[in-house]
Amino acid sequence: MTATFTERQVVSPPPAADPRSSRWEYPALAALLIGTAIAYLWNLSVNGWANSFYAAAVQAGSVSWKAFFFGSSDAANSITVDKTPLSLWPMEISVRIFGLHSWSMLLPQALIGVASVALLWATVRRVFGPSAGLLAGLALAVTPVAALMFRFNNPDALLVLLMIAATWAMTRAVEDGRWRWLLYTGLFIGLGFLTKQLQVLLVVPALALTYLVAGPPKLGKRIAQLFAAGAAMLAGAGWWLLIAEFWPADDRPYFGGSQHNSIVELTLGYNGLGRLNGDETGSVGPGGELPAGGNGMWGSTGITRMFEPQQGGQIAWLIPAALILLAAALVLRGRAARTDQQRAGLLLWGGWLLVTGLVFSFMKGIFHQYYTVALAPAVAALVGIGVVMLWREREKLWVRAALALALGATIATAWMLLTRSNSFQPWLRWTVAAAGVAVTALLLVRLPRRIEIAAATAAIVIGLAGPLAYTVDTLATGHEGPIPSAGPNVRGGFGFGPGGPRGDGGAQPMNGDGAQGGPNGGIPGGSTGGNQGGPNGGNQGGARGNPGGAPGGANTPGGTGKGGREGGGAGNFMMASKPSAKITALLSANGDEYTWVAAAIGSNSAAGFQLATQLPVMPVGGFNGSDPSPTLEQFQRYVADGDIHYFIGGGGFGSNRSGSHSSEITKWVEDHFTSQEVDGVTLYDLTAPKTR
């Protein structure tokens, strides 16, 4: 009893809420959450099908429970998406309730965004008080890449919520050292694995280090509890992995993204170590066998990667301030007890930011700018925490200097990012700079309380002005495709130029403010890229543009959208097909008589036809068209059994790879069946072979 009492005495309780704050905190929280909900739900269907690759899987899972469980691309369960399926389940349940359209699919994503803001507020508030929690929640809500991904159907939205949940549970564990909070932490990480596999592990070092340093029990017990958390993590992910791995292979879909039909291979290879070292079998091309700072298919690597044109406008706005405030806050807690909860919170959020940021900066494999949403909660939390902690100690000169430095770094970053787009609100950069310099000077001196509060409020407004402007632009603009990007097009931003995707900001031709590439730009292997929506089009890879063919969206099936293309296209590696009404009717006729109404090379090519007909379309070769599913022999057997009605020519990346299963299937179909052109799409009726 004495030992237990002594251990608990060293735990510093959370700071008591200011009694004066109780009158405004919950109205302010309500305003924050209601405002976030309105912003994220407003104009939601402008994104149409968003990423058609996942939209097709949502459609499949809404009509087939086997497709639901495995995350299949089609309801006939030929192949899965190249991720574990948890992120699809909320969307598929919503579609089962409300029917298939853009709004029902994206509704859960927006609600996950609101929940993330609320949970971040609760986690930060618990240790640092209401002001820090509200500021952290606000900063997350207006982060451009967060506003993008919480209205998109990629797995990242749910991943972020589960990472915050794990941090919340660890915060509770540091308070009282109870086993259950460690188990919850591990469980949330395990569920994060089922959402986007190994990416969730980027927060594990911060979680483990924080508890190892600051957990209330003795060291031996802390270590045992961390092992228990690891066991909970394995249980949270392992139940699905065991079922999926031991399910008979001939009775389940092929695991997309793997080369040997193995979820373990997918986890450790294409979605695992391959992302770090660039050795990604089955990917679109070489990753980054480059020194730090070298330019590869996915941009340059190095410590400044998060500030480069592709990523800067997504996440970089508050990173310098977060790092400065983290360092200053740690100094303030320098002599605190080992179990000090505020220092533990700084280690937790700071470790999340540093580990994830460094991995993103130096990883050589596939890297997309929207991955940076995983940094947003840590950046937002550190800004909220740091501002409030330093503000409470502002009588110290060095603390005022740190606050001024953080604001000055934020202004400089905003100037850099806003100048990358000449046509986007050109007045804003000058306003932020001029007002920022004045407020920075005010932060350096002691003033009457009312003036200090006015200056602090102005500093917050100035610091959030840039990301808020990008977020408003993001909410008002449709986004489609596998590589969405928040905010306006910028010089040197991600685009598709001749020879394939570019991320180096080189001197490629640009449309407007930085949408690189010309009409014939392509993906390696020959798939068409570039801007296909005319002079006002955006990045064809999904950076901007309203998709045609999305129920509830800005355009009707077969229509033309900003950044889109004329209806009737077969699609390609990066852009989903947009079938015309004539093709949709042709594929749908007697569609229930076939297992698959059609087959197409690559998931994006197949997706549009499946979404238009709401009938299974086989994505030969998976996302890249390079997976060995099906083999030529399997495809021939499906055709002989009358399981597939049409083969759609063109499309995916894999059909251009000599010796690939997709290219073998394409050649066999061309040799044995007669083609017909329907609204610019080449179709082969697999029930009517050529007569010899």
Side-chain angles (χ1 to χ4, degrees), residues 35-51 91 102-103 105-114 141 143-158 373 470-481 484 486 546-547:
T36 302
I38 291 173
Y40 287 178
L41 291 170
W42 174 79
N43 203 27
L44 185 60
S45 292
V46 72
N47 289 333
W49 294 126
N51 189 339
M91 292 183 282
S102 174
W103 182 87
M105 177 182 67
L106 297 178
L107 172 64
Q109 305 296 86
L111 297 180
I112 285 171
V114 178
T143 299
V145 70
L148 172 69
M149 298 315 295
F150 288 137
R151 292 160 50 87
F152 215 73
N153 56 354
N154 282 25
D156 302 76
L158 184 59
V373 71
Y470 261 55
T471 292
V472 171
D473 180 84
T474 301
L475 298 176
T477 306
H479 300 78
E480 70 169 332
N546 299 334

Side-chain angles (χ1 to χ4, degrees), residues 136-506:
L138 176 62
L140 175 61
V142 302
T143 299
V145 70
L148 172 69
M149 298 315 295
F150 288 137
R151 292 160 50 87
F152 215 73
N153 56 354
N154 282 25
D156 302 76
L158 184 59
L159 175 68
V160 166
L161 177 61
L162 290 168
M163 292 164 79
I164 298 173
T167 307
W168 167 81
M170 182 55 71
T171 299
R172 300 297 303 268
V174 172
E175 286 182 16
D176 57 26
R178 294 182 182 179
W179 288 83
R180 66 179 180 181
W181 301 122
L182 278 301
L183 297 178
Y184 285 149
T185 300
L187 177 62
F188 288 131
I189 294 296
L191 295 176
F193 176 90
L194 292 185
T195 300
K196 207 179 178 188
Q197 294 184 287
L198 293 186
Q199 185 176 332
V200 73
L201 297 186
L202 293 178
V203 299
V204 170
L207 294 168
L209 178 63
T210 298
Y211 196 73
L212 196 61
V213 169
K218 292 182 178 180
L219 179 60
K221 185 176 180 180
R222 297 200 300 273
I223 293 174
Q225 288 176 317
L226 287 174
F227 274 106
M233 176 181 70
L234 293 177
W239 68 272
W240 185 90
L241 289 175
L242 288 175
I243 295 174
E245 190 67 20
F246 287 102
W247 197 294
D250 58 357
D251 189 44
R252 61 159 171 80
Y254 185 96
F255 289 124
S258 72
Q259 297 301 297
H260 300 92
N261 199 11
S262 168
I263 191 66
V264 175
E265 176 200 340
L266 174 65
T267 299
L268 298 178
Y270 180 73
N271 281 337
L273 297 178
R275 299 293 171 118
L276 300 179
N277 60 26
D279 184 12
E280 298 168 293
T281 303
S283 184
V284 297
E289 299 84 352
L290 302 163
N295 291 328
M297 177 176 289
W298 311 113
S300 61
T301 58
I303 197 66
T304 62
R305 192 180 204 179
M306 297 301 102
F307 296 87
E308 294 187 354
Q310 303 94 309
Q311 289 76 237
Q314 314 300 300
I315 191 62
W317 305 89
L318 298 175
I319 289 179
L323 294 173
I324 293 168
L325 294 169
L326 169 64
L330 284 172
V331 172
L332 286 175
R333 306 305 298 172
R335 295 185 178 182
R338 175 184 67 81
T339 54
D340 179 68
Q341 292 180 48
Q342 291 197 347
R343 185 171 58 194
L346 293 169
L347 291 176
L348 187 53
W349 295 110
W352 176 342
L353 174 59
L354 291 173
V355 172
T356 305
L358 288 172
V359 170
F360 284 173
S361 295
F362 290 95
M363 61 187 285
K364 296 178 179 180
I366 294 175
F367 179 79
H368 299 316
Q369 56 266 40
Y370 66 81
Y371 291 179
T372 58
V373 71
L375 294 169
V379 173
L382 289 171
V383 168
I385 292 167
V387 166
V388 171
M389 285 187 66
L390 269 63
W391 182 253
R392 291 171 179 164
E393 303 287 339
R394 63 187 181 279
E395 72 277 359
K396 300 173 182 176
L397 177 60
W398 77 265
V399 171
R400 297 199 301 275
L403 284 169
L405 179 61
L407 179 58
T410 301
I411 295 166
T413 303
W415 176 269
M416 176 185 70
L417 298 176
L418 291 170
T419 54
R420 287 175 175 167
S421 179
N422 291 331
S423 62
F424 178 73
Q425 309 297 341
W427 59 270
L428 183 59
R429 74 189 75 138
W430 295 103
T431 303
V432 168
V437 169
V439 175
T440 301
L442 290 177
L443 293 178
L444 288 170
V445 297
R446 291 307 307 269
L447 297 166
R449 178 176 174 80
R450 289 186 177 181
I451 298 178
E452 284 185 334
I453 293 175
T457 303
I460 293 171
V461 172
I462 292 166
L464 297 180
L468 177 61
Y470 261 55
T471 292
V472 171
D473 180 84
T474 301
L475 298 176
T477 306
H479 300 78
E480 70 169 332
I483 312 178
S485 179
N489 294 327
V490 299
R491 290 189 299 274
F494 187 87
F496 291 86
R502 292 184 54 83
D504 58 35

